[in-house]
Amino acid sequence: MEAMTVSRTSRHPRICPAILAVFLLILTVQVVKTSSEFDPYKMLGVSRSASQAEIKKAYKNLAKEWHPDKNKDPKAEDMFIKISKSYEILSNEERRSNFDRYGQMDENQPFGQSQHHGFRGFHNSFYFDESFFHFPRSRDFADSKYLLHHAQFNSDVLPDSHKRPYLIKVTSEWCFACIHIEPVWKETVLELEPLGVGIGIVDLGYERRLANQLGAHRAPSIIGLVNGRVTFFHQAVVREHLRQFIEDLLPQKLVEKVTDNNYLTFLDNWHAENKPSILLFDQVPSAPLMYKLTAFAFREYVRFGYVDQGEMHNTRMLRQFNINTYAPTMLLFKEDTERPVDIIQARGMKRQIMDEFVSNNKFLQVPRLVNQQLFDELCPIKQFHRRRKYCVLLITGEDQAFLSGNKAFLDFATANSKEVLRFAYVYQRLQQPLCQALLHNQAAFSPQVVILERRSQAGRVLYRSVSGGWNGSEEDKYRLHEQLELLQKDPTYLTSDATLPELNNEMAPMFIIQWMNAAYDYILQVYDDLLYSNWREMMPILSLIFSALFILFGTVIIQAFSEPGESKPRKSKPKEQPQTEEDASSRASTTSRAPKKDFVEVTELTDLTYTSNLVKLRPGHINVVLVLTNASKTALLRKFAKEVFSFSGTHNLHFSFLNADKHQHWMPSLLRSSLAAQDQGRDDYEESSDYSGHVLALNGHKKYFCLFKPVFTGDDPHDSLSETSFSSDSRRQSRSRSRSSSHSRSRSHSRDNGAGGKRGSSRATSIEVHHKLDRLGLWMERLMEGTLPRLQVPAWPILDETTNNFSAES
């Protein structure tokens, strides 16, 4: 029996009640001690007599220091939460007074019970629940209606963000920090949702695709969505901060501040902006958030102004419109700026009342058709017989002469306001396609009135023009009234049929304005990402920026420290020279510009370029022309570019080549013309069968040329390696000897080269192709010095001539 008793005792141990009581007492004391140790004054480091400015300054410094995005300390998140909670208590005078008197931190707890409910107060202050022990928490039923899905977000929320802002929370099941912000989030939702702010919740675990679209990669995150633009909230999660965050997301000039000095200008702008005007009178210094949200929703239709009744400069408006200063008042003005057409006054103004008030007065009495959207709303398409709408359209102008007629049409529309009739006007100059379709392509010299009914989305309308035009006289008003009565009795009264084009958008901003606005939004987005995003999210952008900077500055540095191509010794073979001119020769360009490195622009003389490059060459400019054949083209162009490269920077020199196989009669004709001009006989002239390698410096304006003929340099003509073995030193010595030779010797060579002597000519035919231009560099130096003989011609020969006729052009 004892054994059995021992066995039961081992399976079901009994705990002494005294031990359990001691344990609970210790736990309670420890928790109460912990709760009593939390002091928001100590947490922010301020005294109990600190002002709100000192508290705010201390909070900003500590929040910046302990923000989890900037402080990688494991305790940073807890410290940031405690700092935010301390500021939430001390920034609210009621909570601060409650804490000073009772040590209480929960504003919903009755006064005088904090000392006996220390554990509860601590629990509520830090929002502990089962998630403290990392148990999956059950989702709040109230949050389920705010859950967003990817398809729903793109089809509903994103378009709706152009009418109202959205506040979206990104959360997850296993997020301890999400529990801390939950009470503040609920308070904010209860405050902002009745004002018209859209609320959304994205679960990071179930809606990863939507979270990636929003750019939210961690929980908790709070996002603002306005006009399709996503903005992250980066401050402490306090209700006041969230409210200010939503207000800052709205456009800056939604509501204009109106005083006695500018209210007449504000009301008179209805004509320029084609919108009614609303004035809100209230006792607060700035426009309430609910009024700004209403202005954001109806900004396309109505202009909004705000009047502070507390200012001394607004007494004239208060007297003129008889405003009750004890309740908010809204006045709506249309064309008449002296008297409002509608008014509401309520001590507790609701968003629903505001929306209904504005939506019933979205248009002027007689609005101007400025875009297709306004036309669709004013003149809807007929769907059923009972919902038939007729649009009475005045086609007029904006000049001073049309003002009286326009005013008479407005008076008529005000007196005949019926639900079935919509009155509007259009400027013919600004909407010409629409007016031409209604007037049968005839210009209206006087205003015309057209009654129309839309029948299809494609623009089909039935219409009828009112005979006699419109001058605003009593007779015109009677005639229009009579036709409108006939129309309501007999819908078949509209006999004409037309298809109207889409209206021009007169209010669309200029392209440069749209581009600047888009650039401004992009810069703000990039600045926000750079300021608050973590390194993991910013690595792709930073990598792209640094890669672009490295390529840019690397290229600049390499070009800055690289030496000119001509100063570097070249040991490669001629076929490896980078300045190959075969491709460049095909460019038909006659412009003179500084050459690129190791590049000479050489133009072929053809029927298209001959006149501009020679006959009509500008005064002072010289065209250096190389004569070649199809067989010698590649080799001569390489050598020609190499020899003249150092002179290619001169702006009055042009470089060309002439194909002797294509234009075989041009060179003999030119030489015969020069000999005839010098009165030399045929005995001194001997035509050559091969002019390849000849170079001519042609002055098209003064009609003279200098001639270079290939000269044997003393190298073996059969040695293919003679050019490559001809070192730069020997060439330099050869040029030095040439410069030091006597002037008479230079002249003798010039005569040999320029006049075409028999010995030089016969010797040139046996010179290898790659040796024909060996002395071209020396000849170019003498050309620049002006020491070469000049051969005059009476006129330049025609390029494709077959006879001895010459061009008579000057």
Side-chain angles (χ1 to χ4, degrees):
M1 195 55 129
E2 279 185 27
M4 292 178 64
T5 303
V6 171
S7 177
R8 284 177 185 168
T9 303
S10 62
R11 284 198 297 266
H12 303 281
R14 299 171 62 185
I15 301 177
C16 180
I19 297 176
L20 180 60
V22 172
F23 175 75
L24 292 177
L25 179 60
I26 293 174
L27 179 61
T28 303
V29 171
Q30 185 67 26
V31 172
V32 171
K33 180 181 178 181
T34 305
S35 65
S36 63
E37 288 178 354
F38 178 78
D39 188 349
Y41 292 102
K42 292 182 180 180
M43 185 61 62
L44 296 182
V46 296
S47 64
R48 289 185 174 269
S49 61
S51 63
Q52 287 294 331
E54 294 174 348
I55 293 174
K56 187 174 183 180
K57 181 178 180 181
Y59 162 71
K60 285 186 175 181
N61 294 334
L62 291 174
K64 187 183 300 183
E65 178 183 356
W66 291 100
H67 198 286
D69 289 344
K70 299 180 180 180
N71 195 326
K72 301 305 179 182
D73 193 317
K75 300 179 181 179
E77 186 173 353
D78 292 336
M79 284 294 297
F80 185 75
I81 295 172
K82 293 179 181 179
I83 292 168
S84 301
K85 185 60 181 177
S86 300
Y87 179 70
E88 183 181 354
I89 295 171
L90 299 183
S91 62
N92 188 293
E93 292 297 338
E94 183 180 355
R95 293 184 182 183
R96 182 179 180 181
S97 177
N98 195 17
F99 178 81
D100 291 341
R101 296 172 62 185
Y102 306 105
Q104 171 185 340
M105 291 173 287
D106 185 5
E107 64 178 358
N108 298 322
Q109 180 179 348
F111 293 163
Q113 296 184 6
S114 62
Q115 298 296 335
H116 304 284
H117 298 83
F119 180 77
R120 182 176 181 270
F122 179 75
H123 172 87
N124 291 335
S125 299
F126 288 91
Y127 323 118
F128 286 173
D129 60 8
E130 62 271 16
S131 294
F132 178 79
F133 302 99
H134 296 281
F135 290 105
R137 59 187 175 93
S138 59
R139 188 179 304 282
D140 193 341
F141 178 76
D143 289 348
S144 59
K145 66 178 181 178
Y146 301 122
L147 287 176
L148 299 179
H149 306 285
H150 185 265
Q152 173 203 3
F153 175 82
N154 289 280
S155 61
D156 300 333
V157 176
L158 206 57
D160 195 41
S161 68
H162 294 269
K163 297 181 180 179
R164 61 171 177 166
Y166 272 81
L167 191 65
I168 302 174
K169 180 182 69 172
V170 180
T171 183
S172 64
E173 289 289 347
W174 297 92
C175 173
F176 175 62
C178 300
I179 309 303
H180 294 304
I181 69 172
E182 193 66 27
V184 181
W185 172 261
K186 290 182 179 179
E187 294 175 3
T188 306
V189 171
L190 292 176
E191 178 187 3
L192 296 182
E193 189 176 21
L195 302 183
V197 178
I199 305 297
I201 296 178
V202 177
D203 194 306
L204 199 59
Y206 295 96
E207 286 294 334
R208 176 66 64 177
R209 184 180 177 187
L210 177 56
N212 291 335
Q213 179 179 344
L214 294 173
H217 305 292
R218 60 182 178 179
S221 295
I222 296 180
I223 297 172
L225 180 69
V226 174
N227 289 331
R229 181 173 177 265
V230 173
T231 305
F232 280 83
F233 176 77
H234 296 291
Q235 300 181 19
V237 184
V238 183
R239 187 172 58 182
E240 291 78 8
H241 290 176
L242 291 171
R243 179 189 176 97
Q244 188 63 40
F245 173 65
I246 288 295
E247 194 166 350
D248 293 340
L249 290 178
L250 299 175
Q252 296 297 322
K253 297 183 179 180
L254 276 176
V255 179
E256 183 177 346
K257 184 135 187 207
V258 180
T259 63
D260 285 345
N261 299 326
N262 65 345
Y263 82 97
L264 292 177
T265 304
F266 175 78
L267 296 178
D268 285 337
N269 276 340
W270 67 267
H271 187 272
E273 299 195 23
N274 198 40
K275 297 177 182 178
S277 302
I278 289 182
L279 284 178
L280 172 65
F281 294 80
D282 205 349
Q283 293 283 357
V284 292
S286 60
L289 177 59
M290 180 171 60
Y291 187 60
K292 291 183 178 180
L293 294 172
T294 305
F296 179 73
F298 294 95
R299 66 190 185 278
E300 300 293 336
Y301 302 96
V302 183
R303 301 168 58 245
F304 292 83
Y306 177 73
V307 181
D308 181 12
Q309 298 179 7
E311 287 191 4
M312 300 299 296
H313 302 289
N314 298 328
T315 56
R316 186 172 63 180
M317 273 191 297
L318 298 179
R319 289 196 306 266
Q320 179 177 349
F321 301 120
N322 194 19
I323 301 299
N324 182 1
T325 58
Y326 296 100
T329 306
M330 291 181 66
L331 305 181
L332 188 137
F333 297 85
K334 293 189 177 180
E335 286 88 347
D336 188 1
T337 60
E338 298 294 331
R339 294 190 301 269
V341 296
D342 203 353
I343 179 174
I344 59 172
Q345 190 174 50
R347 190 173 297 276
M349 194 82 70
K350 301 295 184 182
R351 175 63 191 272
Q352 183 178 1
I353 298 176
M354 281 191 177
D355 288 351
E356 184 178 356
F357 178 74
V358 178
S359 61
N360 291 335
N361 298 278
K362 291 195 304 182
F363 307 109
L364 297 169
Q365 293 285 357
V366 183
R368 177 162 59 95
L369 298 183
V370 294
N371 52 46
Q372 186 65 33
Q373 178 185 355
L374 184 61
F375 186 38
D376 294 339
E377 295 193 44
L378 286 174
C379 305
I381 300 173
K382 171 185 176 288
Q383 297 177 352
F384 304 102
H385 178 72
R386 293 182 180 180
R387 303 179 65 179
R388 189 186 300 269
K389 301 289 184 182
Y390 298 104
C391 193
V392 184
L393 183 63
L394 172 65
I395 301 176
T396 181
E398 64 268 35
D399 298 336
Q400 192 74 20
F402 297 94
L403 291 181
S404 60
N406 298 345
K407 180 65 170 57
F409 187 76
L410 172 61
D411 297 338
F412 180 86
T414 305
N416 294 270
S417 56
K418 298 180 181 180
E419 184 63 26
V420 72
L421 297 177
R422 297 288 178 86
F423 293 85
Y425 70 100
V426 62
Y427 288 151
Q428 183 178 5
R429 184 182 64 85
L430 301 178
Q431 301 291 344
Q432 290 185 2
L434 173 71
C435 299
Q436 290 175 0
L438 295 174
L439 300 177
H440 303 287
N441 297 324
Q442 295 179 1
F445 298 101
S446 62
Q448 300 287 331
V449 177
V450 178
I451 306 172
L452 60 88
E453 178 189 5
R454 300 185 65 196
R455 287 301 183 94
S456 69
Q457 193 69 32
R460 180 175 175 267
V461 296
L462 296 178
Y463 72 98
R464 185 186 185 100
S465 298
V466 179
S467 59
W470 178 265
N471 295 319
S473 62
E474 294 298 327
E475 182 182 355
D476 292 340
K477 293 180 181 180
Y478 177 78
R479 185 167 52 251
L480 177 58
H481 179 76
E482 184 181 19
Q483 296 199 19
L484 290 177
E485 292 293 332
L486 292 175
L487 174 65
Q488 296 182 42
K489 295 178 182 179
D490 183 14
T492 61
Y493 185 71
L494 302 179
T495 56
S496 301
D497 190 351
T499 301
L500 302 182
E502 185 173 349
L503 271 71
N504 301 324
N505 189 0
E506 301 176 17
M507 297 299 181
M510 298 175 59
F511 172 76
I512 185 65
I513 302 297
Q514 296 179 357
W515 183 87
M516 291 176 64
N517 292 336
Y520 177 74
D521 293 339
Y522 180 75
I523 292 173
L524 287 182
Q525 186 73 30
V526 172
Y527 173 77
D528 186 73
D529 293 341
L530 289 174
L531 186 61
Y532 295 107
S533 297
N534 56 35
W535 286 104
R536 184 192 67 178
E537 298 172 357
M538 290 303 301
M539 280 307 296
I541 299 179
L542 293 177
S543 176
L544 179 62
I545 293 175
F546 282 113
S547 299
L549 291 176
F550 177 79
I551 294 173
L552 177 63
F553 288 103
T555 304
V556 172
I557 291 173
I558 291 174
Q559 291 182 353
F561 286 95
S562 61
E563 298 180 0
E566 64 269 17
S567 63
K568 296 181 180 180
R570 298 186 177 273
K571 298 181 179 180
S572 57
K573 295 181 180 180
K575 64 180 181 179
E576 297 176 353
Q577 293 291 337
Q579 65 270 22
T580 302
E581 299 301 324
E582 184 174 358
D583 296 334
S585 63
S586 61
R587 300 188 180 187
S589 173
T590 62
T591 60
S592 175
R593 54 179 178 264
K596 300 179 182 178
K597 182 172 290 188
D598 294 340
F599 179 83
V600 179
E601 185 175 5
V602 183
T603 306
E604 182 179 2
L605 287 183
T606 62
D607 295 333
L608 299 177
T609 61
Y610 181 77
T611 301
S612 59
N613 282 19
L614 177 59
V615 178
K616 294 185 178 180
L617 198 64
R618 287 176 292 177
H621 286 246
I622 296 177
N623 197 346
V624 181
V625 181
L626 168 67
V627 182
L628 48 77
T629 60
N630 292 330
S632 62
K633 180 177 181 181
T634 302
L636 287 180
L637 278 176
R638 291 178 186 271
K639 190 63 177 294
F640 181 71
K642 183 177 181 181
E643 293 293 331
V644 303
F645 174 77
S646 59
F647 305 93
S648 58
T650 306
H651 294 288
N652 61 346
L653 284 184
H654 307 267
F655 300 96
S656 306
F657 72 90
L658 178 74
N659 194 328
D661 293 337
K662 298 179 181 179
H663 313 285
Q664 55 184 345
H665 298 285
W666 186 84
M667 190 68 178
S669 299
L670 178 67
L671 295 178
R672 286 195 298 267
S673 174
S674 65
L675 292 176
Q678 297 176 13
D679 296 330
Q680 295 184 10
R682 296 285 301 177
D683 297 335
D684 296 333
Y685 172 74
E686 178 180 354
E687 292 188 1
S688 173
S689 60
D690 181 18
Y691 290 101
S692 64
H694 287 60
V695 179
L696 302 96
L698 308 174
N699 190 317
H701 180 68
K702 294 187 177 181
K703 298 179 183 178
Y704 73 83
F705 68 94
C706 303
L707 179 64
F708 168 85
K709 297 174 61 177
V711 179
F712 180 66
T713 59
D715 298 326
D716 186 3
H718 301 287
D719 187 6
S720 61
L721 298 177
S722 60
E723 183 179 355
T724 58
S725 61
F726 192 73
S727 64
S728 59
D729 293 337
S730 61
R731 173 164 297 188
R732 194 178 301 112
Q733 294 174 4
S734 174
R735 291 187 178 182
S736 177
R737 289 194 300 268
S738 300
R739 292 192 186 97
S740 61
S741 60
S742 62
H743 187 66
S744 60
R745 180 181 176 185
S746 299
R747 289 188 173 272
S748 65
H749 279 290
S750 301
R751 285 191 297 270
D752 293 339
N753 294 338
K758 297 181 181 181
R759 291 176 297 179
S761 175
S762 60
R763 185 58 176 162
T765 58
S766 63
I767 302 176
E768 292 290 334
V769 172
H770 58 272
H771 282 303
K772 286 190 174 184
L773 302 178
D774 280 350
R775 293 193 177 182
L776 180 60
L778 179 61
W779 184 81
M780 288 293 299
E781 292 178 2
R782 295 176 58 197
L783 174 66
M784 300 302 297
E785 295 170 357
T787 59
L788 289 176
R790 300 176 179 179
L791 304 178
Q792 297 289 335
V793 292
W796 297 110
I798 299 175
L799 190 62
D800 56 351
E801 68 173 354
T802 57
T803 64
N804 292 338
N805 296 329
F806 299 101
S807 170
E809 298 178 28
S810 59

